[in-house]
Amino acid sequence: MGIVSSQAEGVNLSKCVDYVFYIKDSSWDGMNRKTNTLFPTSQAMIDNSDHIIQIGGGLIGQQEVQAARQIEIPVKSHKATPLKN
């Protein structure tokens, strides 16, 4: 399952995802710095999770994990290691 911003409509997404849910969102960001609240896509990720497994990730992933931990959603984090050819 994938939850993505409506900004991604028309973009080729991973073929490894069975279902994609597009969230009406004018942002490519996780946190609105003016209001200190999550943008709709990141909020949908949190609202639809009873636990989170984080593998690597950037700023948006960190913001989502922080929001999940604030409302006591269990988070398991793993460091991502690039594959070597």
Side-chain angles (χ1 to χ4, degrees), residues 2-71:
I3 297 177
V4 297
S5 169
S6 56
Q7 299 294 311
E9 288 187 272
V11 175
N12 288 332
L13 301 174
S14 173
K15 294 178 182 178
C16 297
V17 178
D18 294 325
Y19 301 99
V20 177
F21 296 91
Y22 292 94
I23 306 299
K24 187 173 174 77
D25 192 342
S26 61
S27 172
W28 279 108
D29 207 347
M31 180 74 70
N32 183 328
R33 289 163 186 79
K34 292 180 183 176
T35 63
N36 204 33
T37 59
L38 293 174
F39 280 110
T41 304
S42 291
Q43 188 63 56
M45 291 284 293
I46 300 305
D47 290 347
N48 290 284
S49 298
D50 57 7
H51 66 277
I52 293 177
I53 299 171
Q54 175 191 27
I55 303 171
L59 179 60
I60 294 172
Q62 292 172 4
Q63 292 168 341
E64 292 167 348
V65 163
Q66 181 180 9
R69 286 183 171 141
Q70 287 176 346
I71 59 172

